Amino acid sequence: MLMAWSYSKIKRILELNSQWILWVNISPQQLTFKSTYLFLENLKKSRKNIKIEITEQLPNNRAVNKTKTIKCIADIKKLGYELALDDIGSGCNTLPFVLENIMQIKRVKLSLVSLRLLSQEATLLLIKFWKLVADEAKLEFVVEGIDSDSLNLLIASRGVKLQQGFLWQDQFKFFD
């Protein structure tokens, strides 16, 4: 039901905004459901406007293992979707997992939200490390959780151009 609802909303958004690029988050658990692939198959015509982020959530089911997840990511890539790994360094999106998926993904995203307890120096070293991994693999690197102009400038001064912050706005009218 969730995937059918998501499909109808995404289809409607793209009908009204054909130039938009939408990032759709899919968890490793969702990769085990046939409905996820039906959803992606149905959206294939719009794949130039759809990008897929594989989230870091650990699966509830022990049958969902790293090997199956890697195969599922490769299957989505074969459908023609651009892929990213979200919140690298946490959950199941560990460094070994990122490295095992290098050929399938285009982008990695590091969230600062869960790193707020680190010192600024430690945070900057972590950003430097992940940027180096991304640069060596020729991946786009995004830092998420930018919540101030000073943090934006600090991260930009470290060569990170792709940043994601917080935007609070009214809901889209077509979600009613």
Side-chain angles (χ1 to χ4, degrees), residues 141-156:
F141 177 60
V142 180
V143 174
E144 300 178 311
I146 305 301
D147 59 3
S148 68
D149 288 336
S150 60
L151 184 57
N152 164 260
L153 293 172
L154 179 64
I155 302 302

Side-chain angles (χ1 to χ4, degrees), residues 21 23 51-54 82-86 88 98 102 104-109 134 138-142 162 164:
I21 303 293
W23 285 88
K51 312 295 182 195
I52 306 298
E53 275 185 34
I54 305 300
E82 185 177 302
L83 289 141
L85 292 179
D86 196 26
I88 53 174
V98 170
I102 288 287
Q104 309 305 327
I105 59 176
K106 183 174 179 174
R107 174 181 285 200
V108 290
K109 299 175 79 178
K138 297 179 176 42
L139 299 175
E140 294 174 350
F141 177 60
V142 180
L162 298 175
Q164 183 176 326

Side-chain angles (χ1 to χ4, degrees), residues 2-75:
L2 172 63
M3 300 315 276
W5 177 86
S6 297
Y7 171 76
S8 68
K9 295 301 177 187
I10 290 170
K11 187 175 175 200
R12 180 75 176 128
I13 290 168
L14 292 178
E15 285 170 358
L16 296 172
N17 307 282
S18 63
Q19 300 304 310
W20 281 17
I21 303 293
L22 301 177
W23 285 88
V24 176
N25 286 17
I26 297 177
S27 74
Q29 188 74 45
Q30 287 176 288
L31 294 175
T32 65
F33 304 138
K34 289 180 185 176
S35 61
T36 301
Y37 294 94
L38 180 60
F39 166 78
L40 293 171
E41 192 65 45
N42 288 337
L43 283 173
K44 253 176 95 167
K45 289 180 185 174
S46 301
R47 68 180 170 253
K48 70 177 176 50
N49 301 86
I50 306 283
K51 312 295 182 195
I52 306 298
E53 275 185 34
I54 305 300
T55 66
E56 74 286 358
Q57 283 102 7
L58 295 169
N60 300 334
N61 184 341
R62 288 188 177 167
V64 180
N65 61 42
K66 183 172 75 168
T67 304
K68 277 186 179 179
T69 303
I70 290 170
K71 182 190 177 315
C72 292
I73 290 171
D75 290 344

